[in-house]
Amino acid sequence: MQTPAPLEEYVRATSVADAIAQLEKYGEDARLVAGGHSLIPMMRLRLARPEALIDINDLDELKSIKVEGNEIVIGAMVRHREVLDSPLLFEHYPIFRECEKVIADPVVRNRGTVGGSYCQADPSEDLSALGSALRGSVVIQNSTGTRTVPMREFHFGPYMTQVGDGEILTEVRFPIRPGAGSAYEKVERRVGDWAVTSVGTFVVVKNGVVEDCGIGLAAVGAEHFCVPAAEEFLIGKAPTEENLVQAATLAAEGCNPSSDQRGPADYKKHLAKELTLRALRRSVQSSQGA
Amino acid sequence: MRFAVPSNQAKEPDMQVTMTINGESVTKECEPRTLLVHFIRDIVGLRGTHWGCDTSNCGTCVLWVDGEPVKSCTMLAAMADGREVRTVEGLEQNGQLDPIQEGFRECHGLQCGFCTPGMMMTGRWILDNNPNPSEEEIREGISGQLCRCTGYHNIVKSIQWAAEHPAENEVKA
């Protein structure tokens, strides 16, 4: 039987400011718990041993999906199921629905949160690939104020992010790109598993030329879940099959996967190329200017 | 955060947790680290909810918290404080089995029965949100739960049976 180590304190935060105050009170031995679907398994395995848990499930201020100016803003406490079901997100980026549909399973999606997924920073996290592809940003708050960090600077490495002690990720933001097409491709061993490899892309085609694009890859050791060289190659070129193949080849070359129980490294590289190509093709097809 | 070291600490002080379980308010003491599945089974004494893989993979511990199915091995009892919980014991109403229970009986939806409570709780939720689900929607709905006996076929049929035989107080869409 797996049971977490004894916890000194369990407290419910009543506001973001209160959550920060509680984090400061308990210091580095405190952890926020949202959906708990990463933290509690880690606590049961004693990989994580916080002394205080600060429950942020009551923070309604972090539960909205909205448009602010030219950005989509998703609160940290928004559950995976709400992202999957959101007509607003689907309207701007079909990638949200495609990506969420392959994250965990329906029951887990009822609990798991957007903020939790980003802060857990699993190297196979699908939302991290999506966030990097769309060049989103995260907002981090502490007792002195807030700062906005681009997704492509958010990770120090696997499971390590810019969110420090006494800080909370409050929302993630994505630029709206009119006419963008987007798609998500994932290969997993079985429903609900982490990716063997997954790739998300968006493409904006204007006048027969790729005006902008983004490619995000999870589980293949791409730094910050992206390979900018592949994007730079494609921007300004016609979205021909030949150019898409070349971009996908560059994306795969920029990955550094490890062999593990989900597959050998060369297979994951193969998938990185193939899935990038498939996602790019569909993004181009659904871009309104194509 | 500290990393795993053997704990010689004495048992931590208990906390008091109050939640509504199948419509009744229940107050019990538990440790802050107590998982909801153990609280329900060992402290409240409702053994219908099963405890399986401990890793949020198998889904036999699924119950409802505030109207949504969750894997109760991946939630602390403290996190359910003040919330509304529904377990498999809460399916039956006034001595009448829920159609989902009838469906599992009619269609032989179980063999060993270990996954059944979680399957029925998720099945009930699928039908509450979509009274006429397709086979694909049912399979997707239960995709986070494992059955090692039936091959899922009869579980899907049982949920379909329940969809075709709603209780009188349910509105058939």
Side-chain angles (χ1 to χ4, degrees):
Chain A
M1 170 166 142
Q2 299 173 357
T3 296
L7 258 178
E8 301 280 325
E9 291 288 343
Y10 166 86
V11 288
R12 289 255 174 104
T14 54
S15 64
V16 170
D18 180 46
I20 292 167
Q22 300 281 359
L23 282 171
E24 288 183 335
K25 180 178 166 191
Y26 293 105
E28 61 170 354
D29 289 327
R31 278 291 177 275
L32 298 176
V33 62
H37 274 52
S38 299
L39 181 58
I40 290 175
M42 285 179 76
M43 287 168 62
R44 281 189 315 218
L45 293 167
R46 313 275 172 120
L47 291 169
R49 253 190 101 175
E51 290 187 356
L53 268 194
I54 299 152
D55 187 337
I56 56 170
N57 278 278
D58 289 341
L59 303 191
D60 292 340
E61 60 206 280
L62 303 182
K63 291 181 182 170
S64 66
I65 301 173
K66 61 193 174 197
V67 170
E68 268 181 24
N70 63 346
E71 284 188 310
I72 298 165
V73 183
I74 305 178
M77 276 305 302
V78 169
R79 314 268 175 193
H80 288 296
R81 185 163 71 89
E82 296 169 294
V83 175
L84 177 66
D85 291 345
S86 166
L88 174 76
L89 294 176
F90 182 72
E91 178 196 329
H92 289 286
Y93 289 113
I95 188 176
F96 277 103
R97 191 171 292 174
E98 292 187 9
C99 178
E100 282 289 354
K101 200 152 173 62
V102 291
I103 291 178
D105 61 64
V107 178
V108 169
R109 289 196 293 262
N110 284 340
R111 289 294 297 170
T113 63
V114 169
S117 295
Y118 280 111
C119 290
Q120 176 70 8
D122 191 291
S124 303
E125 174 56 55
D126 290 295
L127 277 187
S128 296
L130 177 151
S132 209
L134 297 183
R135 289 197 286 278
S137 55
V138 305
V139 178
I140 300 168
Q141 190 171 336
N142 60 27
S143 57
T144 61
T146 64
R147 66 184 193 279
T148 303
V149 176
M151 294 270 188
R152 293 183 175 191
E153 296 169 19
F154 179 59
H155 301 91
F156 292 127
Y159 308 104
M160 289 184 286
T161 73
Q162 298 239 13
V163 181
D165 292 338
E167 295 193 322
I168 175 172
L169 185 156
T170 54
E171 60 192 31
V172 293
R173 308 177 77 97
F174 300 94
I176 293 172
R177 300 178 176 93
S182 61
Y184 201 79
E185 293 280 347
K186 176 175 178 175
V187 168
E188 56 189 349
R189 296 176 304 176
R190 57 181 167 76
V191 168
D193 196 12
W194 294 104
V196 177
T197 299
S198 52
V199 182
T201 61
F202 85 86
V203 177
V204 179
V205 181
K206 285 248 169 77
N207 304 320
V209 170
V210 174
E211 188 186 73
D212 196 3
C213 74
I215 301 171
L217 306 100
V220 282
E223 198 178 351
H224 295 298
F225 297 88
C226 60
V227 181
E231 298 162 355
E232 285 155 18
F233 169 81
L234 200 55
I235 291 171
K237 294 195 173 64
T240 59
E241 179 71 7
E242 194 186 353
N243 284 335
L244 299 186
V245 169
Q246 183 57 24
T249 305
L250 288 168
E253 283 171 4
C255 296
N256 186 24
S258 327
S259 296
D260 60 15
Q261 78 275 20
R262 290 193 173 80
D266 58 346
Y267 173 56
K268 293 182 186 180
K269 271 212 165 186
H270 163 76
L271 285 179
K273 179 183 172 186
E274 184 59 31
L275 298 184
T276 303
L277 181 58
R278 289 179 194 178
L280 283 174
R281 276 184 196 137
R282 291 201 294 118
S283 298
V284 167
Q285 279 164 13
S286 60
S287 173
Q288 283 161 18
Chain B
M1 169 137 7
R2 288 184 313 191
F3 285 85
V5 289
S7 170
N8 297 317
Q9 284 171 289
K11 186 173 168 291
E12 65 198 292
D14 284 347
M15 65 187 294
Q16 206 171 57
V17 171
T18 299
M19 62 187 81
T20 305
I21 304 177
N22 302 327
E24 275 181 44
S25 179
V26 175
T27 300
K28 296 279 182 189
E29 295 208 329
C30 68
E31 293 179 69
R33 63 171 169 168
T34 303
L35 297 166
L36 182 58
V37 64
H38 299 313
F39 180 85
I40 294 288
R41 285 176 54 84
D42 302 336
I43 298 177
V44 179
L46 291 172
R47 298 294 181 93
T49 301
H50 287 170
W51 164 49
C53 70
D54 244 347
T55 56
S56 49
N57 278 293
C58 82
T60 191
C61 65
V62 167
L63 45 70
W64 292 11
V65 177
D66 286 348
E68 281 184 344
V70 302
K71 295 181 176 178
S72 61
C73 74
T74 308
M75 185 167 178
L76 299 177
M79 293 172 77
D81 184 44
R83 318 246 182 243
E84 211 156 294
V85 171
R86 188 182 186 193
T87 69
V88 68
E89 288 91 345
L91 285 176
E92 182 189 316
Q93 299 286 332
N94 306 319
Q96 285 283 320
L97 290 182
D98 188 277
I100 200 90
Q101 294 171 302
E102 298 275 13
F104 273 71
R105 183 169 70 184
E106 289 297 320
C107 301
H108 197 58
L110 60 141
Q111 288 175 34
C112 87
F114 193 72
C115 71
T116 313
M119 289 291 184
M120 292 201 299
M121 293 313 286
T122 302
R124 181 68 265 156
W125 187 72
I126 292 170
L127 297 181
D128 284 354
N129 286 278
N130 178 4
N132 293 301
S134 65
E135 180 182 337
E136 196 191 339
E137 285 167 334
I138 294 173
R139 287 184 181 273
E140 157 74 10
I142 60 169
S143 61
Q145 292 164 245
L146 298 178
C147 171
R148 301 285 83 157
C149 303
T150 63
Y152 304 99
H153 189 68
N154 282 1
I155 293 173
V156 174
K157 281 206 318 200
S158 302
I159 297 171
Q160 285 172 327
W161 189 97
E164 288 156 13
H165 299 81
E168 278 170 23
N169 56 356
E170 277 181 69
V171 182
K172 184 74 182 161

